[in-house]
Amino acid sequence: SSFTVIKMSLEFLCSFSSFVVGLVGSGVSLFLFWRMEETYLGGNKMLDVRYNYTPVEARAAFDAYGEPGRQVYAIVSLTVDIIFPVCYGVLSLCCATFILRKVSALRSCFWKKMVFPVYVCQLLCTLGVIVLDVVENVLLVQLLRGHPEASTDNAILTASNVTQMKWNCAIGIGVSILFSLATLLIATTLFNNKPKDS
């Protein structure tokens, strides 16, 4: 079935070693972002971490970063912030596959049918957040390197819209994980739907 095919195709990627690599990579990336903010951006936050931003807010942030800060931000966006979405994408896939394994071991097919659409939603959100993060980086780099001439309202609003879509996908991942975990908990406790081999 499609349920089994997707599960098997992702299991090779979502091993324990992949989980560790994703976790460590995400942690190191977040640390480097923080160090950049403290060392080169004068304690100002990256635009990436905001849900959205207006042209006025973005231009004020670019001015506050200064020329050296903008250059470092651009470099980090094309290096560390390309690796980061891949790492947390792996983490998302690991979580999704772990939950899918647990649900697929339950006796009742009802719970599998409950979780499978959410599982697919999480996979799509994971792909979306990776792609959108990379697109966001490219747009921000153009603004950072071309400021102030490149910092037009349209260019900033385009980047802001991509940032907002990225965060919407990230929220979708979180909701999917919580829903799947809640479904698994209800199935195994309230309904005593234990795994087949128990």
Side-chain angles (χ1 to χ4, degrees), residues 7 10-23 86-102 119 122-123 126 173 177 181:
K7 180 173 71 74
L10 290 173
E11 279 185 342
F12 81 97
L13 174 64
C14 301
S15 60
F16 179 73
S17 58
S18 296
F19 176 81
V20 172
V21 170
L23 186 64
V86 174
C87 290
Y88 67 65
V90 169
L91 280 180
S92 176
L93 292 177
C94 286
C95 291
T97 304
F98 171 79
I99 295 172
L100 189 66
R101 287 194 191 115
K102 295 296 184 182
Y119 178 77
Q122 184 177 342
L123 295 185
T126 299
I173 292 172
I177 292 175
L181 286 175

Side-chain angles (χ1 to χ4, degrees), residues 22-38:
L23 186 64
V24 172
S26 297
V28 171
S29 297
L30 289 172
F31 174 76
L32 293 175
F33 294 150
W34 174 76
R35 287 298 300 164
M36 179 188 71
E37 291 176 341
E38 295 298 315

Side-chain angles (χ1 to χ4, degrees), residues 29-30 33 46-49 53 73 76-89 125-141 159 161-167 169-170:
S29 297
L30 289 172
F33 294 150
M46 302 165 60
L47 290 181
D48 305 55
V49 302
Y53 36 86
Y73 190 170
V76 169
S77 294
L78 293 178
T79 52
V80 180
D81 206 12
I82 297 296
I83 298 172
F84 178 55
V86 174
C87 290
Y88 67 65
C125 286
T126 299
L127 177 61
V129 80
I130 293 173
V131 173
L132 290 168
D133 204 337
V134 173
V135 173
E136 174 195 49
N137 292 338
V138 173
L139 294 174
L140 286 177
V141 166
N161 288 335
V162 173
T163 299
Q164 186 170 335
M165 287 189 290
K166 176 196 73 175
W167 281 109
C169 286

